[in-house]
Amino acid sequence: MDALSATRKHGMGWVGLGILLLLLVQGIARFAVSPAVGFVLDDWAFWAQAEERESAGEAFMAGLKSPTRPMGCLQQCVFHLFRDRVAAYDAMSLAGYSISLLMVCLLAWELTGCLSAGFIAGLLFAVLPNLCGHFHWLCLIAGQSPPFYLASAWLMARYARRGGRLSLATSATLYAVGIAGYEIGVFLPAAYAVLLWRRGWKRMVATLAPFAVVLAAYAAWRLTAGFGWASAGVAPQFTPGLSGYDAKHTAADIVSWWGGLAWWRAVGLGAMGFSELPWEQAGVLLAANAALLVAVWFWLRKTVAGAKRSVAGEIFGTTTLVLFGAVWVASTYLPAFLGYFAPRLNYLPGAGVAFLAALALARIPADRWGTPQDLKGAAIFLASSASDYVNGHILAVDGGWLAR
């Protein structure tokens, strides 16, 4: 079901309420323990450079002349205009994270045609702990381009399902803005190819041609230092390269993040910050977060759990969707193996992880994971005399997974 059909079926107010609840959950889960925006060492250096510029135009041109990341011009303008206005940085960071969250919802919604999948993906993405080493990091959003990459992916999914040259052109344009800001999503067209391969390789190549042109133009910019026009000094210079030592440690960082100490350390940092709050404030935040999670859960069950797929546009099979999610995660982590620092690159892969988890949850008609308690009835039945005449039958206790 596409956005227009869904709003007609469920009412714009209900869909808007769900989006508002997700934004509130993100605000409490991600930012309550870190209300002030965070800067890292590079950010302070960029801020100091921008503050020294005499005008916003000079700051813009200084960023544009970066031989690696010309979209740093926007970051330089932001730093020059806002200077030490912390509230402005807080608002921009919250807006950027919120846009990214909405793009994750729209992407999952468009790919699956299922409202519940979109909202579950958003809920998971909103509560994943500290994906980038900083809870509230403005430069992740303003300088590393996740909203642009996520919007590009949503529009490509829209094009793959329903066509439309405007969607394709806008997707390629947003990809260009993203890659000029930070290269973390440079290989995302590999995930797009998963959605297009059934159309035949010729149409797939033709569709991905604009992205290839963007990539070639960016490669030429880097190799020629902005065609001889750029100058060093604003953004740090990274030279891609693959070494066994770096790849080993990057892989260890990624494994440690999702299944080991780094992930739990992020949870622990959040818990530590929460424990340092006054008990009155902590109690209010805890109650508010719990209430919002319960509200989103009941909203999903009552309003969108029964949403059906629309007959308009192509319907992607489960294999295609799982492969898309897997390629998304792999392609967004690949830059980390080419000379980047893995812990700061978890945010965009996290969108793929949230999508894969939402795909599994939304596919279950019971709208929840199974528990050991769910097996009790089947086990008692099979162990009792009531099943004496039952032979050669497979009893699936899966919440309706196989029947869907």
Side-chain angles (χ1 to χ4, degrees):
M1 176 176 290
D2 58 30
L4 180 60
S5 301
T7 52
R8 287 173 178 171
K9 177 179 176 64
H10 302 292
M12 190 65 184
W14 283 108
V15 176
L17 175 62
I19 292 172
L20 179 62
L21 288 172
L22 285 179
L23 292 175
L24 289 174
V25 168
Q26 174 184 248
I28 294 177
R30 216 181 264 293
F31 304 130
V33 297
S34 181
V37 70
F39 277 31
V40 297
L41 183 61
D42 290 347
D43 304 335
W44 285 114
F46 300 156
W47 180 83
Q49 293 172 4
E51 192 177 38
E52 293 174 357
R53 309 297 179 186
E54 294 184 358
S55 66
E58 183 181 341
F60 180 89
M61 292 303 298
L64 189 62
K65 290 183 178 182
S66 168
T68 56
R69 294 168 185 160
M71 287 307 297
C73 59
L74 299 180
Q75 191 175 14
Q76 286 286 296
C77 280
V78 167
F79 286 154
H80 178 82
L81 292 172
F82 294 149
R83 297 182 182 270
D84 58 354
R85 298 181 180 91
V86 177
Y89 296 132
D90 288 342
M92 284 192 63
S93 180
L94 287 169
Y97 278 100
S98 298
I99 291 171
S100 295
L101 173 62
L102 294 177
M103 289 301 108
V104 170
C105 292
L106 288 172
L107 176 61
W109 187 350
E110 189 70 45
L111 286 171
T112 62
C114 182
L115 266 170
S116 56
F119 279 97
I120 291 171
L123 180 60
L124 293 171
F125 193 64
V127 299
L128 281 175
N130 193 8
L131 285 168
C132 58
H134 297 79
F135 280 94
H136 196 351
W137 188 13
L138 170 65
C139 291
L140 172 74
I141 295 299
Q144 297 189 20
S145 309
F148 298 106
Y149 285 125
L150 289 167
S152 171
W154 165 53
L155 289 169
M156 172 51 70
R158 185 179 179 87
Y159 172 80
R161 279 197 63 207
R162 291 176 277 178
R165 294 182 179 179
L166 180 60
S167 293
L168 177 61
T170 309
S171 177
T173 301
L174 290 169
Y175 171 75
V177 175
I179 198 175
Y182 207 77
E183 305 89 336
I184 183 174
V186 64
F187 300 115
L188 272 180
Y192 300 169
V194 174
L195 305 178
L196 301 168
W197 69 272
R198 292 180 62 182
R199 299 185 174 195
W201 69 270
K202 290 184 179 179
R203 289 189 64 184
M204 181 182 72
V205 170
T207 301
L208 293 177
F211 299 89
V213 171
V214 169
L215 183 57
Y218 178 72
W221 176 278
R222 288 204 59 156
L223 292 172
T224 62
F227 307 108
W229 180 68
S231 60
V234 175
Q237 311 304 310
F238 291 100
T239 302
L242 183 62
S243 72
Y245 178 84
D246 289 340
K248 175 183 176 181
H249 284 274
T250 296
D253 283 342
I254 293 172
V255 171
S256 177
W257 176 262
W258 290 106
L261 294 177
W263 196 89
W264 288 108
R265 189 180 303 120
V267 178
L269 287 173
M272 185 182 299
F274 187 83
S275 67
E276 293 173 354
L277 295 173
W279 69 267
E280 301 93 342
Q281 184 179 357
V284 170
L285 289 174
L286 186 62
N289 206 20
L292 283 170
L293 289 173
V294 171
V296 170
W297 175 251
F298 277 101
W299 186 85
L300 283 169
R301 289 178 61 86
K302 299 295 184 182
T303 308
V304 302
K308 304 297 182 184
R309 295 177 185 271
S310 170
V311 296
E314 180 179 353
I315 300 299
F316 300 113
T318 301
T319 301
T320 298
L321 294 176
V322 172
L323 184 59
F324 171 84
V327 174
W328 176 288
V329 174
S331 64
T332 50
Y333 265 132
L334 184 54
F337 289 87
L338 300 178
Y340 297 90
F341 186 54
R344 70 165 56 187
L345 302 180
N346 284 308
Y347 189 78
L348 202 56
V353 173
F355 171 72
L356 288 171
L359 185 64
L361 284 170
R363 183 177 169 81
I364 303 174
D367 288 322
R368 63 176 179 84
W369 292 113
T371 68
Q373 299 298 317
D374 295 316
L375 298 174
K376 288 171 58 177
I380 292 172
F381 167 71
L382 293 174
S384 71
S385 59
S387 64
D388 287 350
Y389 205 64
V390 177
N391 291 285
H393 174 71
I394 299 175
L395 180 59
V397 184
D398 59 3
W401 175 283
L402 294 177
R404 183 160 182 168

